Each structure stands twice: as C-alpha cells, then as structure tokens.
Amino acid sequence: MDNVFEALNERGFIKQVTNAEQVTRLLAEKQVTYYVGFDPTASSLHVGSLVPIMAMAHLQRAGHKPIAIIGGGTTMIGDPTDKTEMRPMLSKEQISANGKGILAQLQRYLNLDNTLVNAGNSQTPSRVGGFFNNADWLLSINYIEFLRDIGKHFRVNEMIRAEGYKQRLERELGLSFLEFNYQLLQAYDYLYLFREYGCRLQLGGDDQWGNILAGVDLVRRIEAERVHAVTFPLLTTASGAKMGKTAGGAVWLDAERTSPYEFYQYWINVDDRDVSRFLAYFTFLPIDEVRRLGSLEDEAIREAKEVLAYETTRLAHGKAEADKARTASRAAFGGGNLDEAEMPTSVIAAERLNAGIPIMALFHEVGLANSRSEARRLVQQGGAYINEKQCRSIDMVVGTDLLEDNALLLRAGKKRYHRIVLKEN
RNA sequence: GGGGGUAUGCUAGAGCGGUCAAAUAGGGCAGACUGUAAAUCUGUUGGCUAUGCCUACGGUGGUUCGAAUCCAUCUGCCCCCA
C-alpha cells in the first residue's frame, strides 16, 4: 500500500496526530478500519464537510475501510465545543431521514454499504465501508451500567482541563451536566466501533481533538489496545470567513439545495489565496499538478480556479453536470452565448405578460430579489437587466414587446440570471 | 431558595419620554475599478398599493397627549450567595 498518511499530510489534511510514526506504520501494514462522525442536523452535507470526506476517500482508495457515523444519539445532547449554535432537538425519524440524505451524498465519494459489513473483523479484504447512526447503540444504554463501566474511567479533573470545557467553565455561559457528558458518549462510540468492527483510527475536525482522545484513552483503559486519532485543520477562507458560506447560505452538496451550476460558481469565485489549498483538499489531482496550478498568478490563476471548480463539481454531481456547469459558466462570463438550459427558469402565462408586469414584481417573483422593496433598490441602483439591457425605471412595465425568442432574460447584478419563458394556452 | 443584572434590526452594539425604522461597526446587496479574485471608493440595507402608510426594540398589561426609553408582571439568559 502507498503511504497514505504521508499523502494526506502533504495535502494539508493533518493537524494533530496521536503518534505520526505509529499511524504511518499502521496504515502501511494492513487494512485499517477508520471512522468519522457527521452531524445529522440537516438532510444534506455542505462543502464544510468535504475535508473529512476527501480524507476518508483518500484512505479508502489506499485500501482502508471507512465507517461513517451520524451522531443521532450524541446530537440529542449537543456538543459543548460548538457553543455558537443551539442545536435543535430532532426526532428519531428526522434524524434517520437526514441520515439517508447524507449517506447518498457520501456514496458519491466513498464506497459505503448501508448495512454493515463484515461485522467484527477487519481482516476481510472488503473495502466497502459502513454507515451507522450512533443512536442505535447509545439510546439503549443503561445509566447505572454506563456510569459503572465507562464513567469510572473518566477523571473530572482531566475533563475540565480540556480546552472546550475549560472555556465554557471560565466564561459566563456555564456548562450543563448534560453537555458535560458529551465527551463520554463520543468516547463510547469509539470503544463500540473498536469492539464491533476493529476500528483503530478516528478522524475529525481539530475542535474534536479532545473528544477523540477521550475515546482513544477509553479503549486503552478498557481493552488495553492502542488506537489512534487524527484531526484536520479547521478550514477558513483567506478572508477569515467560515468555509462554504455565501450570501445565500451554505453551499450544499445536495443538487436540490445548491444547483451544480451554483456549486461550480462557488469554487470559481474563491479567493485567489485559497486556490492551491483547496485544490489539494478537494480534488484528487496528483500533488505535482496541484502545485503547478497553485503557483499560477494573476489572471492565469483563473485556469486553476476552473480546474478546481470542474473537479469539485464532478466529484459532487458527476461528469455530465460538471460539463454543463463549465459550459454555462464559460458562456455567461466568457462573452459567448448563454446556455439557456443551465439557467434557473420559470414559466409564466402568456396573458399575464400581455397585461404587463411591473418590473419590481417580476424580479421579486422569480427570486432575484427577496422583496419588492429590494427589487426597487436593485432597479434604482442600476443592477437590473432585461435581455442584457439595464433598466433603471421603477415604473417600467414588462410586456410582450420585450420578448426575444419568446423569452425574457433577467439579470440582477453581475452574476445572477433568471430566464422566463412564456406559456401559451 | 435569596440578591443583582440583562433582553434592541442578519450579527455585534449605541440609544436624553417626543425630531427613532432606531447611532456605529461588521456582514449583505448594487455601482465604479478589475481577472467571475482581492483591495479600494460610492450608494444602499424592515415591509408596502410609497413624498404616505403598516409592522418592529423578549411577552403581557399599565402610566402618559406621546414609550425602545417610565411602572408592574411573566419568560429567557447571566452573575453573586446557599
């Protein structure tokens, strides 16, 4: 097997490791079962989850066996290290529905079976991974047993020294007992997966370091076995923003929430300074190619961005969609003809247009403005276009006289398009 | 259980009883400049049938000609004591 750990490190995936040498050796010697936890609060993952996903994919390609966990059980508690957002309580049904959506997305990157897989031994050659909801084993836990078997291995002194808890204790926020237990449950996950599936490596965001280590310790104490932890650097964009957020909210992997074209555009529009890092993280291009593209400067960097956008879109949505998105993007910004098929389109009844629609209403209706007032501002400030002609009059009424090929092309600002076609009846 | 504090727009955070749709910063949007980048500059940023009207400053009820601003009460959060 290749030296995956080295490869991951070279691509920037590694922030902390329990023991780099041992992990390198472990991954070189035999097939390793490893796991990553995902948050089941939404039915789709967003680009922020792409770091762990790509890391998992690299490992699987190198012959190792992934397990993805959704934290249906742990979500019911709420991770105190993520104190910015209150997590909503989700029903079991909701969580498993979300799990299905997440699984479908993971399967684009990983070979995962949704039933498990070679229970209990990592010796089998199968590389097919597993996908579980930790609620399956956490919900049935008996409190007294848990305290006695698991709880006794945790020293409160140590726990409150951990950064995540420490901050909460020092700040005014306080920490509920419920949250204080989060770490135990996550540690128990690791123990469970070690016992059942021989899992020996857990990966996660760097904010999870403490929680993952708790699991490593627990396995050592109870099973007297050495298992490992690897964390990824927390990704922010060069401008300091959280990865994957745009004006419209998160960039989702689900094509329903974020169209392949928007997805593609997200990557095209990344900050110059992020390009080479992102190529290493989010594509499978050989590292030499990543370096070559990353070294491009000024205008030439657009080539690198195009590769980044194309590759990421291809991974998330497939080649056909990526091709379409690239064509559409080139057309929209390269001066060529716009590809109508790629644009958000709505249908409008012919008689409505005959009667005339106020421009503000039109922009609002198709979603290029969130309200009529916003549409009004857009027009007043010169950001509204119909068929590439700027419209600055808020009194303008759009009628059939503006039709071109029986359609209207609306544009808001530089990048947002919407096409309207007429429906005769 | 006792005492104290706080609650404002997307976020942070000002706000004398009238001139408050609410300072300021960040964010967002639009324009200029560009490379579909960054930085910079400018405008804008509750809604609407729009020189006016409606809805908003945790909930409810008061005082007042008039309340985001005062009082009561409820709720949430925080701090101190137990």
Side-chain angles (χ1 to χ4, degrees):
Chain A
M1 283 176 195
D2 283 348
N3 198 335
V4 228
F5 185 77
E6 269 302 306
L8 284 175
N9 197 18
E10 205 169 18
R11 298 184 93 97
F13 281 96
I14 313 295
K15 170 79 178 180
Q16 300 193 69
V17 209
T18 37
N19 183 314
E21 252 173 65
Q22 287 178 30
V23 173
T24 308
R25 208 177 323 127
L26 183 70
L27 288 168
E29 279 169 0
K30 60 176 180 179
Q31 186 184 55
V32 173
T33 300
Y34 57 99
Y35 101 91
V36 175
F38 292 91
D39 180 5
T41 44
S43 63
S44 171
L45 298 168
H46 52 81
V47 300
S49 305
L50 240 27
V51 170
I53 293 173
M54 291 300 289
M56 287 179 91
H58 280 291
L59 284 166
Q60 188 168 38
R61 287 181 169 206
H64 301 291
K65 181 149 70 180
I67 293 178
I69 295 286
I70 56 162
T74 27
T75 307
M76 295 184 162
I77 290 199
D79 183 354
T81 50
D82 170 26
K83 60 230 171 237
T84 46
E85 278 165 65
M86 268 278 276
R87 299 204 180 181
M89 273 279 234
L90 298 175
S91 70
K92 257 186 116 169
E93 293 71 38
Q94 188 52 247
I95 288 170
S96 74
N98 288 349
K100 269 189 199 135
I102 291 169
L103 173 61
Q105 287 165 2
L106 290 176
Q107 281 173 326
R108 291 193 162 275
Y109 297 82
L110 298 165
N111 187 357
L112 291 183
D113 192 345
N114 37 356
T115 58
L116 205 220
V117 232
N118 312 317
N121 79 72
S122 53
Q123 267 71 273
T124 67
S126 169
R127 280 200 242 171
V128 180
F131 181 79
F132 309 101
N133 180 350
N134 66 5
D136 292 347
W137 57 85
L138 289 181
L139 292 188
S140 58
I141 283 175
N142 172 293
Y143 189 61
I144 301 297
E145 268 178 37
F146 186 79
L147 285 181
R148 208 180 48 196
D149 297 343
I150 307 298
K152 73 171 175 193
H153 295 291
F154 286 81
R155 299 273 87 85
V156 172
N157 321 33
E158 266 170 54
M159 290 176 70
I160 61 177
R161 241 177 274 135
E163 206 42 49
Y165 288 120
K166 201 164 102 189
Q167 281 180 14
R168 279 290 291 269
L169 288 170
E170 283 169 1
R171 303 251 163 90
E172 303 113 30
L173 285 167
L175 182 69
S176 74
F177 182 67
L178 183 78
E179 293 169 314
F180 195 55
N181 280 268
Y182 185 86
Q183 193 176 77
L184 300 232
L185 294 182
Q186 193 171 327
Y188 183 76
D189 281 349
Y190 203 163
L191 177 66
Y192 180 89
L193 292 172
F194 172 78
R195 283 173 169 165
E196 297 294 315
Y197 308 111
C199 179
R200 281 181 179 272
L201 177 63
Q202 180 180 180
L203 307 96
D206 199 48
D207 53 336
Q208 295 298 311
W209 178 244
N211 292 336
I212 299 174
L213 281 187
V216 170
D217 282 343
L218 187 65
V219 172
R220 198 191 59 238
R221 286 186 178 133
I222 293 186
E223 302 292 334
E225 289 275 358
R226 180 81 164 127
V227 295
H228 293 276
V230 167
T231 60
F232 313 117
L234 287 187
L235 252 206
T236 50
T237 62
S239 50
K242 221 178 187 177
M243 174 78 199
K245 301 283 187 204
T246 63
V251 179
W252 302 95
L253 299 186
D254 179 2
E256 295 294 310
R257 297 199 197 204
T258 301
S259 73
Y261 177 73
E262 290 172 276
F263 188 85
Y264 184 93
Q265 285 298 320
Y266 171 77
W267 298 104
I268 284 285
N269 285 317
V270 298
D271 196 304
D272 285 8
R273 293 166 291 177
D274 290 325
V275 172
S276 82
R277 269 160 75 225
F278 285 6
L279 281 165
Y281 282 131
F282 304 120
T283 72
F284 287 110
L285 296 179
I287 193 75
D288 293 339
E289 179 67 359
V290 169
R291 292 220 175 95
R292 183 188 75 77
L293 290 167
S295 66
L296 296 174
E297 282 177 4
D298 300 322
E299 281 194 52
I301 204 167
R302 281 157 61 209
E303 180 197 337
K305 287 186 181 180
E306 193 174 74
V307 173
L308 174 67
Y310 182 77
E311 288 299 316
T312 50
T313 308
R314 192 170 62 79
L315 288 169
H317 299 295
K319 185 174 186 312
E321 291 296 333
D323 285 334
K324 270 163 66 184
R326 182 167 63 185
T327 307
S329 177
R330 280 180 179 166
F333 297 98
N337 287 328
L338 294 168
D339 182 354
E340 300 169 345
E342 267 316 292
M343 229 171 275
T345 299
S346 47
V347 180
I348 204 165
E351 63 263 27
R352 286 193 56 207
L353 203 61
N354 286 332
I357 303 171
I359 184 166
M360 288 166 7
L362 193 63
F363 272 79
H364 176 217
E365 193 174 316
V366 301
L368 289 174
N370 289 324
S371 68
R372 289 190 183 204
S373 295
E374 197 176 303
R376 167 188 295 261
R377 268 173 239 129
L378 192 69
V379 173
Q380 282 171 340
Q381 298 184 26
Y385 298 79
I386 295 179
N387 295 331
E388 296 302 323
K389 259 183 48 206
Q390 194 177 45
C391 303
R392 300 201 72 134
S393 164
I394 56 168
D395 300 320
M396 180 171 172
V397 173
V398 181
T400 46
D401 51 316
L402 289 172
L403 285 173
E404 284 180 12
D405 295 332
N406 218 33
L408 291 171
L409 178 65
L410 305 187
R411 173 154 73 92
K414 290 194 181 70
K415 301 178 188 174
R416 288 146 56 220
Y417 286 90
H418 196 102
R419 193 173 130 83
I420 292 179
V421 296
L422 221 53
K423 190 178 84 185
E424 305 288 352
N425 42 354

